[in-house]
Amino acid sequence: MHRVVITGYGVVSPIGYSAGEMMSSLAAGVCASKSMEGVWNHYGRLKCQVGAPVEMRDAKAIPRQQRRTMSPMSIYAVQAAIEAVGHAKLDPSQVGNNVRVGCVMGSTTGSPEASNKTYETLLSKNEYELLGASEFFRCISHTVALNVSQYYGIKGMVTSTNAACASGLQAVGAAYDLVRLGRQDIVLAGGGEELHETSVGSFDILFAASHKYNDSPSQTPRPFDKDRDGLVVGEGAGVMILESYDHAVTRGAPMFAEILGYHTCGNGTHVSQSDDASMTHCMKTALDEAKLKPET
């Protein structure tokens, strides 16, 4: 097995358009929750009227020919990948046209914005001819992986993980396996999501979205607070560069961390809530793989 290190990272988030901006905002206690009153009423009023949107920057820096298949989630992911590749001191030419460089990116679904637009057009007009070919590439579940890999011209292994809130983390785990097994030297790993009222609606139906602070959005989601009433849905992207230790040493790359263990498992008892036994098993297996004990 090869050792796996993280040599770069990039972020697009509601509280920062780079890893540095995000960390500064976290240190300053910045809250990205904003009122979406009047924006999310297309399908009837949601109880939750707060969200954490990203103020998109410089989308047109991505060539139009590539950007036309991108929804916001793919644009964010490409921008985060650009930061990560630069952070890792990789020349873009080292990323593209190299069968030893792969891409694993996760998302809950394809673009909800594009999917809604597509089906509203189809159901109201009953004509496929009204749909552009690029809409399909925004709707597909692996749209983020597809667009990031196409932006760089990646020739290695390209795949997508779609596991709701765990999608990005599972992408890192899948990329870790590719590198430690020697199937790739470098993998761009992470995920992207976009904010849309249908995404919020799924949490609203499950009574999992915050709604008691609609009039004071900066006071929610209140993590770890006794008055916390649910989550606030946001958007953005995060990308890490996973690389074999030997490859990173050879090219003199910066190394920020080493991944020692990873595990994922189902619980077989509930569709959305893990039980104590499955969570314990998952953590214990990851620690065993890393040859670590809980007390260390």
Side-chain angles (χ1 to χ4, degrees):
M1 293 291 181
H2 296 266
R3 294 172 65 186
V4 182
V5 294
I6 297 170
T7 57
Y9 48 85
V11 171
V12 171
S13 81
I15 59 171
Y17 227 93
S18 67
E21 282 188 16
M22 183 187 73
M23 295 306 294
S24 295
S25 294
L26 285 171
V30 174
C31 179
S33 300
K34 295 182 178 178
S35 173
M36 305 301 288
E37 188 74 39
V39 180
W40 289 345
N41 295 325
H42 188 68
Y43 300 105
R45 182 177 173 81
L46 295 170
K47 294 186 293 294
C48 175
Q49 290 290 308
V50 293
V54 168
E55 294 182 8
M56 187 180 290
R57 304 179 194 171
D58 304 322
K60 292 185 178 180
I62 300 171
R64 182 180 179 278
Q65 186 174 5
Q66 294 175 308
R67 197 175 70 248
R68 64 186 179 183
T69 60
M70 297 181 187
S71 67
M73 62 201 298
S74 292
I75 291 173
Y76 300 147
V78 167
Q79 291 174 327
I82 291 170
E83 182 188 4
V85 167
H87 200 202
K89 302 191 184 309
L90 282 167
D91 189 291
S93 64
Q94 296 175 287
V95 178
N97 299 310
N98 185 343
V99 296
R100 298 293 298 172
V101 177
C103 176
V104 184
M105 299 293 293
S107 61
T108 302
T109 63
S111 167
E113 178 182 290
S115 296
N116 275 50
K117 179 181 177 182
T118 295
Y119 284 106
E120 283 177 356
T121 300
L122 185 60
L123 292 173
S124 63
K125 303 296 183 181
N126 294 321
E127 292 184 32
Y128 281 105
E129 291 79 5
L130 295 175
L131 303 176
S134 60
E135 290 299 316
F136 169 76
F137 295 109
R138 297 188 190 108
C139 293
I140 53 179
S141 59
H142 65 292
T143 184
V144 176
L146 178 153
N147 280 294
V148 171
S149 61
Q150 286 296 301
Y151 177 81
Y152 277 107
I154 288 175
K155 302 292 186 183
M157 301 180 74
V158 177
T159 189
S160 175
T161 50
N162 306 101
C165 300
S167 298
L169 180 58
Q170 290 204 347
V172 174
Y176 167 61
D177 281 340
L178 289 178
V179 177
R180 70 174 177 149
L181 292 172
R183 304 195 70 183
Q184 302 281 253
D185 294 326
I186 297 173
V187 179
L188 280 66
E193 301 283 357
E194 66 188 59
L195 183 61
H196 191 270
E197 69 175 291
T198 55
S199 302
V200 180
S202 62
F203 292 100
D204 212 55
I205 292 169
L206 292 169
F207 304 103
S210 174
H211 65 277
K212 295 180 181 178
Y213 300 91
N214 289 338
D215 296 330
S216 53
S218 64
Q219 298 301 308
T220 191
R222 311 176 73 88
F224 312 112
D225 190 284
K226 66 181 179 64
D227 293 324
R228 179 177 185 269
D229 71 324
L231 56 81
V232 172
V233 180
E235 61 183 349
V239 176
M240 295 195 300
I241 307 297
L242 272 58
E243 188 168 351
S244 74
Y245 174 81
D246 291 338
H247 191 274
V249 169
T250 298
R251 70 177 188 89
M255 288 182 270
F256 301 99
E258 180 174 0
I259 301 178
L260 298 177
Y262 171 83
H263 190 64
T264 180
C265 63
N267 62 69
T269 58
H270 195 280
V271 69
S272 63
Q273 295 182 18
S274 295
D275 56 27
D276 293 349
S278 60
M279 289 189 286
T280 300
H281 170 71
C282 189
M283 290 185 284
K284 186 178 185 303
T285 305
L287 287 169
D288 289 346
E289 185 178 283
K291 296 180 172 57
L292 295 173
K293 296 186 180 299
E295 57 269 19
T296 61

